[in-house]
Amino acid sequence: MREDKSTSGEKTPQEFKSKFNNTWCPGCGDYGILNAVKSAFAAAGLNRENTVAVSGIGCSGKMPQYLSTYGFEGIHGRVLPVATAIKLCNHKLKVVGFAGDGDGYGIGMCHFMHALRRNIEITYVVHDNQIYGLTTGQTSPTSEKGFVTKSTPYGAIEEPVNPIALAIAGGATFVARCFVGEFAHFKTILTEALNHRGFALVDVFQPCVTWNYKNTYEWFSKRVYKLEETPGYNPGDKSLAYNKATEGGEKLAIGIFYRAEKPTYGDSVAAIKEKPLVERDISNVDISPLIKEAL
Amino acid sequence: MEKNDFTVKIGGEAGQGINASALILAKSFSRGGLNAFVTAENPNTIKGLHNWCSIRVSGEELTSQSGKTDILVALNEQTAALHVNELQAGGLVIFDAGDKMVDAGKISAAGLKPVPVPLEKMAADLGVEKIMKNSIAMGAVTALVNYDFKFIEEILKELFARKGQEVVSNNIKVAKAGLDYINENYKGVSNLSAVVSGQPVKMLLNGNEALSMGALKAGCRWLSAYPMTPASPIIHYLAPKEKEYGIIVKQSEDEIAAINMAIGANYAGVRGFCCTSGGGFSLMVEALGMAGQNETPLVVAMGQRPGPSTGQPTHTAQGDLKFLINAGQGEFPRIIVAPGDISECFYEMFNAFNLSEKYQAPVLVLYDKYIGENYITTPVFNTSGMKIERGKLLNQEQLDKSGEYKRYAITGDGISPRAIPSLKGGEHVATSYEHNEWGFYEESPEGVITMTEKRFRKLDAIKNDTGIKWCNFFGRDDAELTIVSWGSNKGPILEAMKMLENDGEKINFLQVLYLWPFPSKQVAGYLSKAKKTIIIEANKTGQLKTLIREQTGFEIKSEYFKYDGQPFYPGGIYNRLKEVLR
């Protein structure tokens, strides 16, 4: 069930760069994600032709355009259904989903919850900047309560979504949060996520320098701390992970919250036991038993 | 009344196994070389309330139900009360002799023949569950039409073989008891007969099953769907075939996921489809446009039921044609085909997969509850010569030989060679944005025009595709009246035509099979030769009628629209056509 990792020598981040010019705002946190992704792809030994980057719409949705792998840039919120089918149709591929906090936790929330419980083998990177950037600055599902935006001039009334807690509760087997300002840490965790057998969520704090006046690089830098450096923290302990995900307070934990080994969805699908679905011969399917059954 | 053409209606409470008994009975006739047409009427209830199933049997080919009943099996009092008036004079009513609610005197007074059978008592005496009284009734019907019991026996054997000899003989014993009871007590009460014909045995299946078989034959390996009447039986048919046919059937969290998954499967190089009804299709619309824009093959089986909104979930209609033609923002090529019978469900579903890969465009297979759920005897599908055509799908060798790969390369026919993941050198982004040849964002007016025109050249190519059977034409050239219609109306229309021909009327019938791109040339050609014309549709506004006007300028003068949730009956069509001919 693992993707083909036949490597021809060392991979470099550079080979995962596409030839197209970037259109993100200067200083956007997405550049950090793109760089970490290219580095992690190389570190995980992925091949361009066997990797598919799937995205929706939003600033995060542009990721596949800046990668040299296969890509599918779909519609808003629907990253996971597309990625799920691609993975099940050809499980030799490494399938990586890219979404934003709006794409993934707003319009695409339903698919998120179901992908979690399926433990489908997808690495899901969510660009979490607490704001709608591409639509020019409205509140997002992860915006803090009271956050003033164009659509919430009197402050957001709702509590923010807690994607880490939801992912743990929902059945994900790899749940991590990163901050683009901590590049080496981000790259390491992303590489581990790519090597994880199961659904891996990497929620990434990524400042929007154009629309989010509050959650800046500086703001995050002051607050983040690493779980790996937290004495006694064990990502194999689900209740500890859930408590950590919901601890509240000023500080923000980054790192691997939770990790577990569990059969993936694909492991239980009879049709792909022998070989990937896409490799099956369809030139002459015999339906005579079905005709006989109807007689 | 022809002896060898009769209708049996079985009614009772939902959950009494009425549909299963009706199918066994129908199959027993079809095994004898006869034709059967099974219609189930399930009000929107699961268990406990009234439902019924009718089986029309004939030595002649059947394309429709008749609307009249010869034998009514009333497993509850409500059936007798509701359906007695549908019986032909001299019709037979089987009911439980122990059911004090059924008034035999009333039945006789209506010119019908009561046939009380102690169903529950017999079941008790035989030591079987009360629910098996429908098996007793099955045997009773066989006796009333003087038919060979061996077919029922044979089918029960096959059906219960896996459950062991005891279950088999028990089932046969119960049905046989019904047969014997009639033969002993009601000899000669019926003048109906089902005579075994020497004709080759046909299949008995419904449109959903035929669509599923067409998909399997087409090498489809993926179905993602969210349950919705009347399309759910496709899920039920294909899900148990996962191991045998290597198909993944995924019940998704909603229809949005279903279509996005199906598009993902096709992008990965696997033939996949989704199935739904109008409500689910409404949710799919945005992704449909994506498949149009990123040129990913896609097949959607769309089973209509009456809307708007939840409408009438378990009834039939043709109200979604214009919705499908226009579904999605912007403009993109698509193909819409509306099979009119079980065979067309099979062959056109197969064709749909070829066309969607050939033109890298969505193909919508538009059917309805009537054809989706009715079981109709159909000649065995001829699969010889059915060839998988994958269009410009590249393999590694072809990709290696070509220069720089451009997923959306500008070509004469508008179709660009397609690479799928895992092919080296074919890396590209399939995007929902307007794009250039490489799949990168395109905003320049010239670039946008170029790409739009490229996509629409595919529509021209489709229009000129000589492999597509756009229309079917039935009847004589020198007709006084030309019927125009689409979809499942085909069956009742063909039967009404026979009735009119027997009257000496001159009729012909144009069935528009492919509704988009609209076959203007073909339809205009037929209509220009027509004298009087009438359009028949199961909707309120005449969607095909107005489409023909829009696409050909031809206005069809007479119409027969039905929007009561019920199918067309040959008798109703006959009457309407007589009016127009007058």
Side-chain angles (χ1 to χ4, degrees):
Chain A
M1 292 297 302
R2 303 212 70 152
E3 70 282 4
D4 181 10
K5 274 200 198 157
S6 54
T7 49
S8 49
E10 283 297 295
K11 300 278 168 187
T12 63
Q14 193 58 26
E15 61 190 88
F16 293 101
K17 183 185 181 302
S18 82
K19 60 182 174 194
F20 301 112
N21 291 331
N22 206 302
T23 60
W24 287 321
C25 306
C28 175
D30 283 341
Y31 288 101
I33 297 181
L34 179 61
N35 288 334
V37 164
K38 287 187 287 194
S39 297
F41 278 9
L46 302 183
N47 287 326
R48 288 169 49 186
E49 67 273 19
N50 284 330
T51 305
V52 185
V54 183
S55 72
I57 297 298
C59 297
S60 65
K62 300 181 172 187
M63 282 294 281
Q65 294 287 7
Y66 307 136
L67 292 166
S68 63
T69 63
Y70 276 91
F72 190 102
E73 185 181 26
I75 49 177
H76 196 37
R78 317 304 169 197
V79 176
L80 290 171
V82 173
T84 297
I86 293 172
K87 183 68 190 178
L88 289 174
C89 287
N90 187 352
H91 55 261
K92 285 184 181 167
L93 301 172
K94 171 52 74 181
V95 181
V96 188
F98 295 98
D101 39 315
D103 192 288
Y105 306 142
I107 190 169
M109 181 61 113
C110 169
H111 309 306
F112 179 52
M113 297 314 295
H114 290 278
L116 292 171
R117 74 187 179 95
R118 279 174 200 141
N119 196 32
I120 178 93
E121 195 177 331
I122 291 169
T123 312
Y124 191 41
V125 180
V126 182
H127 304 215
D128 187 357
N129 59 11
Q130 299 84 34
I131 191 100
Y132 278 58
L134 199 64
T135 51
T136 70
Q138 299 85 8
T139 189
S140 119
T142 55
S143 293
E144 278 180 45
K145 192 169 179 171
F147 190 51
V148 173
T149 70
K150 284 182 182 172
S151 61
T152 52
Y154 310 112
I157 296 170
E158 293 148 304
E159 293 287 344
V161 155
N162 184 335
I164 303 295
L166 283 177
I168 295 166
T173 49
F174 186 104
V175 183
R177 186 158 65 196
C178 295
F179 169 46
V180 282
E182 295 278 354
F183 187 82
H185 175 257
F186 178 21
K187 181 199 148 185
T188 306
I189 285 178
L190 197 52
T191 309
E192 288 193 46
L194 289 167
N195 286 324
H196 177 71
R197 228 180 148 275
F199 188 84
L201 169 71
V202 184
D203 181 84
V204 191
F205 288 144
Q206 162 252 339
C208 172
V209 294
T210 304
W211 301 107
N212 194 326
Y213 56 90
K214 188 176 176 195
N215 310 108
T216 60
Y217 281 101
E218 198 189 359
W219 188 90
F220 281 116
S221 297
K222 276 188 199 153
R223 284 167 175 78
V224 297
Y225 70 99
K226 293 172 185 146
L227 288 171
E228 295 76 13
E229 295 165 2
T230 306
Y233 192 76
N234 170 17
D237 183 334
K238 198 168 185 174
S239 49
L240 198 63
Y242 191 78
N243 287 340
K244 183 54 83 180
T246 52
E247 73 183 350
E250 270 290 283
K251 291 285 180 189
L252 297 165
I254 56 172
I256 300 169
F257 280 74
Y258 181 61
R259 182 177 359 210
E261 294 275 329
K262 222 171 77 177
T264 68
Y265 187 90
D267 290 345
S268 302
V269 177
I272 58 174
K273 282 265 185 294
E274 267 173 59
K275 56 182 171 188
L277 218 49
V278 69
E279 290 175 15
R280 280 174 173 264
D281 178 26
I282 64 165
S283 57
N284 191 14
V285 178
D286 179 17
I287 61 159
S288 55
L290 304 176
I291 290 177
K292 204 172 157 233
E293 199 179 85
L295 286 174
Chain B
M1 181 178 54
E2 285 196 72
K3 273 191 169 181
N4 222 3
D5 184 348
F6 59 87
T7 296
V8 182
K9 184 168 273 191
I10 310 177
E13 287 166 12
Q16 277 185 332
I18 287 161
N19 292 0
S21 305
L23 278 181
I24 294 171
L25 202 53
K27 213 165 194 175
S28 77
F29 295 118
S30 120
R31 286 278 173 95
L34 297 168
N35 296 280
F37 192 107
V38 184
T39 311
E41 287 288 347
N42 304 307
N44 197 19
T45 52
I46 300 302
K47 209 167 178 182
L49 287 174
H50 181 67
N51 73 359
W52 61 94
C53 201
S54 73
I55 310 138
R56 184 178 177 195
V57 182
S58 174
E60 304 282 308
E61 191 188 346
L62 281 179
T63 59
S64 175
Q65 58 198 77
S66 70
K68 292 168 188 162
T69 303
D70 300 282
I71 302 176
L72 179 67
V73 179
L75 293 175
N76 61 0
E77 182 271 333
Q78 210 184 349
T79 304
L82 276 172
H83 300 290
V84 149
N85 58 357
E86 295 163 15
L87 282 155
Q88 313 262 52
L92 304 153
V93 185
I94 300 178
F95 59 95
D96 196 326
D99 191 341
K100 300 279 174 277
M101 302 286 284
V102 182
D103 186 346
K106 254 193 195 167
I107 294 171
S108 302
L112 308 170
K113 296 176 189 162
V115 184
V117 179
L119 297 168
E120 281 195 26
K121 186 174 173 299
M122 285 171 72
D125 293 347
L126 289 161
V128 296
E129 299 276 336
K130 208 163 73 175
I131 192 164
M132 287 189 71
K133 64 183 181 184
N134 57 42
S135 290
I136 302 174
M138 212 157 67
V141 170
T142 307
L144 285 176
V145 297
N146 202 17
Y147 191 57
D148 196 336
F149 185 69
K150 75 171 182 194
F151 297 108
I152 296 256
E153 219 174 322
E154 188 181 285
I155 294 160
L156 290 173
K157 264 185 206 158
E158 292 164 11
L159 215 54
F160 295 108
R162 260 182 294 177
K163 295 189 177 171
Q165 188 49 45
E166 205 192 321
V167 179
V168 171
S169 26
N170 237 349
N171 271 280
I172 293 174
K173 183 179 76 186
V174 172
K176 181 85 173 14
L179 180 93
D180 293 343
Y181 188 89
I182 296 295
N183 285 338
E184 283 157 26
N185 298 284
Y186 294 103
K187 200 87 196 146
V189 73
S190 158
N191 62 352
L192 301 169
S193 73
V195 183
V196 173
S197 86
Q199 298 298 312
V201 175
K202 293 179 181 171
M203 300 182 294
L204 181 69
L205 76 172
N206 65 24
N208 279 312
E209 292 173 358
L211 289 166
S212 305
M213 287 165 77
L216 286 176
K217 182 64 195 163
C220 171
R221 303 288 186 188
W222 178 278
L223 165 67
S224 38
Y226 188 86
M228 187 166 191
T229 303
S232 308
I234 293 179
I235 308 176
H236 310 161
Y237 185 85
L238 289 175
K241 311 231 168 359
E242 179 179 335
K243 289 179 189 166
E244 224 177 318
Y245 284 91
I247 181 171
I248 293 183
V249 176
K250 181 76 202 95
Q251 181 178 331
S252 54
E253 53 269 33
D254 53 30
E255 286 91 347
I256 298 174
I259 188 169
N260 277 279
M261 284 178 173
I263 293 167
N266 279 285
Y267 167 80
V270 167
R271 286 189 161 189
F273 79 114
C274 46
C275 60
T276 189
S277 188
F281 188 76
S282 299
L283 294 180
M284 294 181 173
V285 167
E286 189 191 11
L288 179 78
M290 171 174 74
Q293 173 74 309
N294 68 21
E295 303 195 48
T296 307
L298 172 71
V299 175
V300 183
M302 218 323 272
Q304 295 166 102
R305 66 192 217 190
S309 193
T310 311
Q312 288 184 286
T314 55
H315 296 275
T316 199
Q318 297 178 311
D320 299 337
L321 172 59
K322 285 209 161 166
F323 174 35
L324 263 64
I325 290 173
N326 295 296
Q329 70 270 34
E331 301 166 306
F332 55 93
R334 75 190 79 194
I335 297 172
I336 300 174
V337 55
D341 58 28
I342 304 286
S343 292
E344 285 173 2
C345 282
F346 174 73
Y347 294 112
E348 295 308 335
M349 189 65 172
F350 177 87
N351 291 338
F353 282 93
N354 277 351
L355 290 171
S356 80
E357 279 208 298
K358 187 173 177 188
Y359 295 107
Q360 301 176 16
V363 180
L364 310 174
V365 181
L366 182 59
Y367 68 112
D368 56 36
K369 187 261 174 190
Y370 183 73
I371 199 162
E373 293 192 350
N374 287 341
Y375 281 82
I376 307 166
T377 43
T378 301
V380 170
F381 299 140
N382 179 7
T383 58
S384 67
M386 292 179 90
K387 212 171 139 246
I388 304 284
E389 285 163 14
R390 307 206 64 177
K392 295 188 188 176
L393 179 66
L394 295 169
N395 59 31
Q396 189 64 61
E397 205 185 323
Q398 293 165 319
L399 203 51
D400 290 343
K401 279 188 204 150
S402 65
E404 185 196 16
Y405 177 67
K406 293 186 275 189
R407 169 64 186 96
Y408 301 104
I410 304 298
T411 59
D413 58 7
I415 308 165
S416 317
R418 186 164 73 101
I420 54 167
S422 83
L423 294 183
K424 233 182 162 122
E427 296 86 357
H428 67 273
V429 181
T431 179
S432 62
Y433 279 90
E434 188 54 277
H435 45 265
N436 61 20
E437 288 184 280
W438 288 270
F440 193 70
Y441 310 124
E442 178 63 69
E443 287 183 89
S444 77
E446 314 78 61
V448 171
I449 290 168
T450 303
M451 201 46 74
T452 305
E453 290 180 350
K454 169 197 125 60
R455 282 192 296 271
F456 271 87
R457 278 202 296 280
K458 297 196 296 185
L459 200 65
D460 295 332
I462 296 165
K463 282 181 188 165
N464 294 323
D465 191 325
T466 51
I468 296 174
K469 197 178 179 202
W470 298 92
C471 299
N472 284 317
F473 188 77
F474 303 90
R476 57 206 299 160
D477 286 335
D478 64 334
E480 291 299 319
L481 176 64
T482 297
I483 306 165
V484 183
S485 193
W486 62 284
S488 70
N489 309 340
K490 177 183 180 180
I493 289 172
L494 288 176
E495 185 165 339
M497 276 175 74
K498 273 189 213 159
M499 294 160 73
L500 286 156
E501 278 158 15
N502 287 341
D503 291 358
E505 305 283 11
K506 295 175 177 172
I507 311 279
N508 58 25
F509 165 38
L510 174 64
Q511 176 205 3
V512 187
L513 183 58
Y514 278 76
L515 292 145
W516 201 264
F518 193 77
S520 314
K521 232 189 282 169
Q522 293 88 332
V523 170
Y526 286 114
L527 290 178
S528 65
K529 286 180 246 156
K531 289 185 183 164
K532 283 182 174 176
T533 51
I534 181 168
I535 183 106
I536 299 182
E537 295 187 68
N539 57 50
K540 176 77 177 76
T541 55
Q543 299 192 15
L544 177 60
K545 176 190 153 98
T546 53
L547 187 63
I548 288 172
R549 177 87 193 263
E550 173 193 298
Q551 297 288 325
T552 69
F554 191 96
E555 186 166 12
I556 296 176
K557 292 280 186 275
S558 302
E559 51 197 36
Y560 181 19
F561 299 151
K562 209 164 188 288
Y563 36 88
D564 56 359
Q566 301 300 312
F568 283 99
Y569 288 93
I573 295 172
Y574 172 90
N575 292 339
R576 178 72 186 108
L577 295 184
K578 277 280 188 191
E579 280 172 20
V580 176
L581 282 162
R582 220 172 278 142

